[in-house]
Amino acid sequence: MTETNQAPATGTGSRAAGHPSSRGRRQFLRAGAGVAAGAAATVAGGAALGRPGVAGATEIDPGNLPPNVPMWGHYLGDGVDAEPYGSPSPHEAHVVRRNVPWLTATTESSVNFTPIQDLHGFVTPNGLCFERHHAGTAEVNPAEYRLMINGLVDKPMIFTMEDILRFPCESRFYFMECAANSGMEWRGAQLNGVQYTHGMIHCVQYTGVPLRVILDQVGVKPNGKWLMAEGGDASGMNRSIPLEKALDDTLLAFAMNGEMLRPSNGYPLRLVLPGWEGNMWVKWIRRIEVGDQPWFAREETSKYTDLLADGRARYFTWEMDAKSVITGPCPEKPVLHKGVNQIKGLAWSGRGTVKRVDVSLDGGRNWMQARLPDPVLPKCLTCFNAEFEWNGEEVLLQSRVIDDTGYVQPTMQALQKVRGVNSIYHNNSIQTWLVNKTGEVENVRLG
Amino acid sequence: MTETNQAPATGTGSRAAGHPSSRGRRQFLRAGAGVAAGAAATVAGGAALGRPGVAGATEIDPGNLPPNVPMWGHYLGDGVDAEPYGSPSPHEAHVVRRNVPWLTATTESSVNFTPIQDLHGFVTPNGLCFERHHAGTAEVNPAEYRLMINGLVDKPMIFTMEDILRFPCESRFYFMECAANSGMEWRGAQLNGVQYTHGMIHCVQYTGVPLRVILDQVGVKPNGKWLMAEGGDASGMNRSIPLEKALDDTLLAFAMNGEMLRPSNGYPLRLVLPGWEGNMWVKWIRRIEVGDQPWFAREETSKYTDLLADGRARYFTWEMDAKSVITGPCPEKPVLHKGVNQIKGLAWSGRGTVKRVDVSLDGGRNWMQARLPDPVLPKCLTCFNAEFEWNGEEVLLQSRVIDDTGYVQPTMQALQKVRGVNSIYHNNSIQTWLVNKTGEVENVRLG
């Protein structure tokens, strides 16, 4: 080791003056700028330098120091008044929600997808939470907003936002998945991209008033057993909710990730039904009616039910079954390196907490247990990680989750045996990614 | 109860058709729009309607149904292609970071403040995380980014972002507080607004590679005991970090709340030193040098040290002591209602986990225990809630936190006894808000 840029480490005099020596600094800057070509070669060559390990880097070559430094250390940047509300780097402009134009007749009754392939951790930033509308985003002035509760109650009442905000509230992390997530895949591997196969999901810290607190204000009559929640958008989207859920963990939520709800996510008030299908999380909620039986609304009869092979339909399938997916590698994130690569993914269960995630490299014949970094929270997305060594051969990547009820995420074959292929909802089957010999990743169907 | 708009609850036939009857709906809409005046009167009058409880609302008066309905249910809203990256409602335009123009000579070497008075839960949305720069926001192209590690290591190395992303990563919630948070308050109650007194803090889910993993790649020599972390901005901001912390929970973080770091928060790579003062969380980090003693850099000698009354200075005061503050009521959020009101606030400790928060209504003579809703995580903001009954008299609101080391947040008087009044850093004393007889809230100093 005869690095010329180690001067600060051996000369303590200059360090005590408050900075490494200018000689050491100048030499670093030249070194830092000069490795672009070398680093690119490392990536292309696929060999991890340094210690045997999971990742590459470039060992410093003091004989190859280039003359220039990156310009970003050479001028003052934006001050603290530049962006009262900040935004992502322009270099991240590809990380956006995307819709599929052919999927629906209009964009007002359609969906876009969370770019889960580009996300880290389990929090979804508010600007990237997928949208699913039936009549577009309702534009609500919170000063004009009202929530009415009527039906089988002692005192029908109307609440302003100011009223709602005076109640005690809770803040909890919950995943929110559309029942149609992965719905295109029932009849085969249709969409190439995890954003499209699994991106109708988000996970944020919701803050709201427990619905039971509000129901206690109006007083549910003894024969009140069901709630009808009605949205304030032009479609008047409505769903029936059993009273037990309303009295359990249901929130009337006004905030996500610290700030007030985004308009496309129900501003200023929406239902949060932890673990249950997203369609029931009524946005821009304007009315709750208490009744003695369910309403059998459009969205729980002709939609959000599963037509079985024998012509019967499953309905009121509220809880989202345990599910997982590998978000890297995936079609959008090919394998670039031979040697050790990271596997990362997301797992969740509407019935409780993720207990274990397994990963397979051979299409489900052999499994290895993935790591579940803290915190693991109930009805919340859970991150998993594992490593795999890629030697350039084909790999069939899969993940499968087991939740704390003992439920094991099924294969598509197992699910089809009991459900057929008619549904577009509630596909929680194991996803298979084929890593081909060039490192590209394809959505494939096994067996 | 003879409500005409209860038709849907008694006529099950119309419900089974999928919607409440049009008669019931029309009457609801008219009722919903008509209570604006009544609700305003409720607020002004201060009486909670409905059951005795914590909040008001308006009982429906079928004799006072107005003719109009809110327009927001009457037209299609924006479709799913309107905002690939979403933004807050225009009605939330007041929720922004704010700076204080007279505080510093230039905005490039200044601070803005998180609007904690408008936030809910403990996650700070990325767009509202406060900024503190020494030479403005460095604009870094991640393709050109390099991190060099040199000094007392076996193999000095340079890492690209692609290299960094190949290592195993962790995602954890951490608060990040500037050591100068509340710093203006040492010599009295200076700033009227919790955004300014306590807004140099944020809390997000950081994702990054443990620094120990990277240090293992370069191999720290036996005499390597300190790290010097150097930022890539024009100020070359640098700090000394003991090796123990680097090998413990320090992250090289690339993501916050799911997405890549914002430019103003260190994009594409920054240090995360859980529980330690924010100045050490070097942004746009371009170099780590390993040495055998600390560097005594500008930012740990002339700045970020506490000048005591006897002329000596406390230095290397890294851990942020336990602290709490009531964020509502606060100067920006006056008390609007007589009767029961919510108290909400945030508590944290750089040494571990919040165990308890107490709230006082009489300037610290009597205390009541606040609620700490799940989840309570180490080195993370913790929400607390309580109620208080306001009868129109003056109230001296305080909160005090106790962490799992047994440390109790001190009064300003107690802190001044040992620290004097010369410092601008590490003020973690109890904050007092005076609720005056009009319900307005002022920042005051007791004793």
Side-chain angles (χ1 to χ4, degrees):
Chain A
M1 295 308 304
T2 56
E3 297 293 349
T4 55
N5 53 14
Q6 286 189 312
T10 51
T12 55
S14 65
R15 286 184 302 173
H19 272 295
S21 75
S22 60
R23 176 168 161 268
R25 164 169 302 206
R26 189 168 57 246
Q27 285 174 340
F28 156 61
L29 290 170
R30 292 166 60 204
V35 294
T42 303
V43 170
L49 295 179
R51 299 192 171 183
V54 296
T58 304
E59 198 166 341
I60 295 170
D61 174 7
N64 183 26
L65 299 178
N68 296 318
V69 302
M71 289 304 292
W72 39 278
H74 278 207
Y75 54 87
L76 290 174
D78 281 341
V80 296
D81 57 349
E83 279 199 318
Y85 193 98
S87 52
S89 165
H91 298 287
E92 300 299 316
H94 59 287
V95 183
V96 290
R97 303 182 288 204
R98 290 181 174 86
N99 64 315
V100 178
W102 50 258
L103 196 61
T104 57
T106 73
T107 60
E108 291 91 352
S109 181
S110 191
V111 64
N112 61 24
F113 300 85
T114 302
I116 53 176
Q117 73 279 5
D118 285 304
L119 300 187
H120 310 275
F122 65 69
V123 170
T124 313
N126 289 345
L128 295 174
C129 290
F130 81 98
E131 301 170 73
R132 168 74 177 105
H133 306 313
H134 295 76
T137 296
E139 291 175 19
V140 182
N141 179 343
E144 296 171 356
Y145 173 84
R146 298 295 183 274
L147 169 67
M148 180 166 95
I149 305 184
N150 69 335
L152 298 177
V153 297
D154 295 333
K155 294 186 184 180
M157 293 180 94
I158 288 174
F159 297 83
T160 66
M161 274 308 292
E162 208 169 278
D163 294 331
I164 295 290
L165 292 169
R166 292 181 65 194
F167 290 96
C169 63
E170 295 179 359
S171 300
R172 296 190 192 278
F173 293 95
Y174 292 123
F175 81 84
M176 192 275 206
E177 184 183 18
C178 179
N181 199 21
S182 317
M184 300 289 290
E185 306 292 298
W186 274 109
R187 291 166 184 264
Q190 310 268 358
L191 295 165
N192 208 35
V194 73
Q195 182 167 7
Y196 302 107
T197 59
H198 290 77
M200 290 166 74
I201 193 163
H202 73 236
C203 184
V204 302
Q205 188 182 36
Y206 280 104
T207 299
V209 178
L211 181 52
R212 63 177 176 274
V213 171
I214 304 290
L215 290 177
D216 184 56
Q217 294 285 310
V218 297
V220 174
K221 288 183 185 292
N223 57 335
K225 298 299 179 194
W226 288 83
L227 273 56
M228 188 276 289
E230 183 181 74
D233 59 333
S235 78
M237 228 290 297
N238 68 333
R239 288 293 302 256
S240 303
I241 296 161
L243 185 66
E244 292 76 10
K245 182 68 172 177
L247 297 178
D248 181 16
D249 53 5
T250 299
L251 296 178
L252 278 168
F254 48 81
M256 57 198 291
N257 288 337
E259 64 188 352
M260 292 295 278
L261 296 175
R262 295 293 174 86
S264 62
N265 299 105
Y267 180 84
L269 201 66
R270 80 174 304 169
L271 278 187
V272 165
L273 294 157
W276 287 25
E277 62 184 18
N279 180 258
M280 304 177 78
W281 298 36
V282 173
K283 294 187 284 196
W284 317 290
I285 185 167
R286 69 176 171 193
R287 189 165 72 98
I288 294 172
E289 184 173 329
V290 181
D292 58 359
Q293 53 184 285
W295 271 254
F296 295 103
R298 175 182 184 271
E299 301 289 334
E300 56 202 22
T301 50
S302 77
K303 301 290 178 186
Y304 297 93
T305 49
D306 302 316
L307 183 59
L308 303 176
D310 64 2
R312 293 179 307 138
R314 297 170 74 232
Y315 68 106
F316 292 169
T317 46
W318 304 309
E319 282 177 320
M320 298 305 288
D321 291 314
K323 190 169 172 179
S324 70
V325 67
I326 293 172
T327 57
C330 65
E332 297 95 331
K333 300 288 175 186
V335 181
L336 299 174
H337 315 263
K338 283 182 185 172
V340 176
N341 281 267
Q342 294 293 315
I343 294 172
K344 66 167 189 163
L346 297 168
W348 60 95
S349 171
R351 292 202 169 80
T353 306
V354 168
K355 291 309 276 186
R356 190 172 121 184
V357 177
D358 297 325
V359 170
S360 176
L361 306 175
D362 55 11
R365 281 195 293 278
N366 296 285
W367 296 93
M368 58 176 174
Q369 196 169 338
R371 294 186 301 275
L372 303 180
D374 283 342
V376 175
L377 301 173
K379 302 179 184 177
C380 175
L381 290 189
T382 299
C383 300
F384 65 86
N385 298 104
E387 282 86 40
F388 81 108
E389 182 104 22
W390 189 53
N391 61 8
E393 294 300 304
E394 285 188 355
V395 174
L396 287 168
L397 279 177
Q398 294 185 336
S399 67
R400 101 184 150 189
V401 60
I402 301 166
D403 72 14
D404 61 352
T405 70
Y407 178 93
V408 182
Q409 185 181 7
T411 63
M412 176 54 95
Q413 294 93 325
L415 204 57
Q416 285 183 343
K417 266 190 196 161
V418 292
R419 299 262 191 91
V421 295
N422 291 328
S423 188
I424 55 168
Y425 304 106
H426 303 109
N427 170 16
N428 70 317
S429 66
I430 291 170
Q431 174 68 44
T432 309
W433 302 128
L434 167 66
V435 182
N436 70 25
K437 291 184 178 181
T438 66
E440 287 163 343
V441 180
E442 300 166 36
N443 178 11
V444 297
R445 171 66 58 87
L446 295 186
Chain B
M1 297 306 305
T2 56
E3 298 294 347
T4 54
N5 54 13
Q6 287 190 312
T10 52
T12 55
S14 64
R15 287 185 300 172
H19 274 294
S21 74
S22 60
R23 175 167 161 272
R25 162 169 304 209
R26 188 168 57 244
Q27 286 175 340
F28 155 60
L29 291 170
R30 292 167 61 205
V35 291
T42 301
V43 169
L49 295 180
R51 299 191 173 186
V54 294
T58 303
E59 196 165 344
I60 296 172
D61 173 8
N64 184 26
L65 298 178
N68 296 319
V69 302
M71 288 305 291
W72 40 278
H74 279 206
Y75 54 87
L76 288 176
D78 281 341
V80 296
D81 57 350
E83 278 199 317
Y85 194 97
S87 51
S89 164
H91 299 286
E92 299 299 315
H94 59 287
V95 184
V96 290
R97 303 182 289 206
R98 290 182 175 86
N99 63 313
V100 178
W102 50 260
L103 196 60
T104 57
T106 72
T107 59
E108 292 90 352
S109 181
S110 191
V111 64
N112 61 25
F113 300 84
T114 302
I116 54 175
Q117 72 279 7
D118 284 305
L119 299 187
H120 310 274
F122 64 70
V123 171
T124 315
N126 290 344
L128 295 174
C129 291
F130 81 99
E131 302 170 74
R132 168 72 176 105
H133 306 315
H134 296 76
T137 296
E139 292 175 18
V140 183
N141 179 344
E144 296 169 357
Y145 172 82
R146 300 293 184 275
L147 169 67
M148 181 166 94
I149 305 184
N150 70 334
L152 298 178
V153 297
D154 295 332
K155 294 185 183 180
M157 294 181 92
I158 287 175
F159 298 83
T160 66
M161 275 307 293
E162 208 169 279
D163 294 332
I164 295 290
L165 292 169
R166 291 180 66 194
F167 289 95
C169 63
E170 295 178 358
S171 300
R172 296 190 194 280
F173 294 93
Y174 293 124
F175 80 84
M176 193 277 207
E177 184 184 17
C178 180
N181 199 24
S182 317
M184 300 289 290
E185 305 293 297
W186 275 106
R187 289 167 185 264
Q190 309 269 0
L191 296 164
N192 208 32
V194 72
Q195 181 167 8
Y196 302 108
T197 58
H198 289 77
M200 290 167 73
I201 194 163
H202 72 237
C203 184
V204 302
Q205 188 182 38
Y206 280 105
T207 299
V209 178
L211 182 52
R212 63 177 176 275
V213 172
I214 303 289
L215 292 177
D216 185 56
Q217 295 284 309
V218 298
V220 174
K221 287 182 185 294
N223 58 334
K225 299 299 179 193
W226 287 83
L227 272 57
M228 189 277 289
E230 183 181 75
D233 60 333
S235 77
M237 228 289 295
N238 68 333
R239 288 294 302 256
S240 302
I241 296 161
L243 186 66
E244 292 74 13
K245 183 68 173 177
L247 297 178
D248 180 17
D249 54 4
T250 299
L251 296 178
L252 278 167
F254 48 82
M256 56 199 292
N257 286 338
E259 63 188 352
M260 292 296 278
L261 296 175
R262 295 293 174 85
S264 62
N265 300 104
Y267 180 83
L269 201 65
R270 81 173 304 167
L271 279 187
V272 166
L273 293 157
W276 287 24
E277 62 184 18
N279 180 259
M280 305 178 76
W281 299 35
V282 173
K283 295 187 282 194
W284 318 289
I285 186 168
R286 69 176 170 191
R287 189 164 73 98
I288 294 172
E289 184 174 328
V290 181
D292 58 359
Q293 52 185 286
W295 269 254
F296 295 104
R298 173 180 185 274
E299 301 289 334
E300 58 205 21
T301 51
S302 77
K303 302 290 178 187
Y304 297 95
T305 49
D306 302 317
L307 182 59
L308 302 177
D310 64 3
R312 294 179 305 138
R314 297 170 74 232
Y315 67 109
F316 291 171
T317 45
W318 304 309
E319 280 177 322
M320 298 306 288
D321 290 315
K323 189 169 172 180
S324 70
V325 67
I326 293 172
T327 58
C330 64
E332 298 95 331
K333 300 287 174 186
V335 180
L336 299 175
H337 315 263
K338 284 184 186 170
V340 177
N341 281 267
Q342 294 294 313
I343 294 172
K344 66 168 189 162
L346 297 169
W348 60 96
S349 170
R351 292 199 170 81
T353 305
V354 168
K355 291 309 279 185
R356 190 173 118 185
V357 176
D358 297 325
V359 171
S360 176
L361 306 175
D362 53 12
R365 282 194 293 277
N366 295 285
W367 296 93
M368 61 176 173
Q369 195 168 339
R371 293 186 301 275
L372 303 180
D374 282 343
V376 176
L377 301 173
K379 301 178 184 179
C380 176
L381 290 189
T382 299
C383 301
F384 65 87
N385 299 102
E387 281 86 40
F388 82 107
E389 182 105 23
W390 188 55
N391 61 9
E393 294 301 305
E394 285 188 354
V395 174
L396 287 168
L397 278 177
Q398 294 185 335
S399 68
R400 101 183 149 190
V401 59
I402 302 166
D403 72 13
D404 60 353
T405 70
Y407 178 93
V408 182
Q409 184 181 7
T411 63
M412 175 56 94
Q413 293 93 323
L415 204 57
Q416 284 182 344
K417 268 190 197 162
V418 292
R419 299 261 190 92
V421 296
N422 293 326
S423 187
I424 55 169
Y425 305 105
H426 303 110
N427 171 14
N428 70 316
S429 66
I430 290 171
Q431 174 68 46
T432 308
W433 302 128
L434 165 67
V435 182
N436 69 25
K437 292 184 177 181
T438 65
E440 287 164 344
V441 180
E442 301 167 36
N443 178 12
V444 296
R445 171 67 57 87
L446 293 189

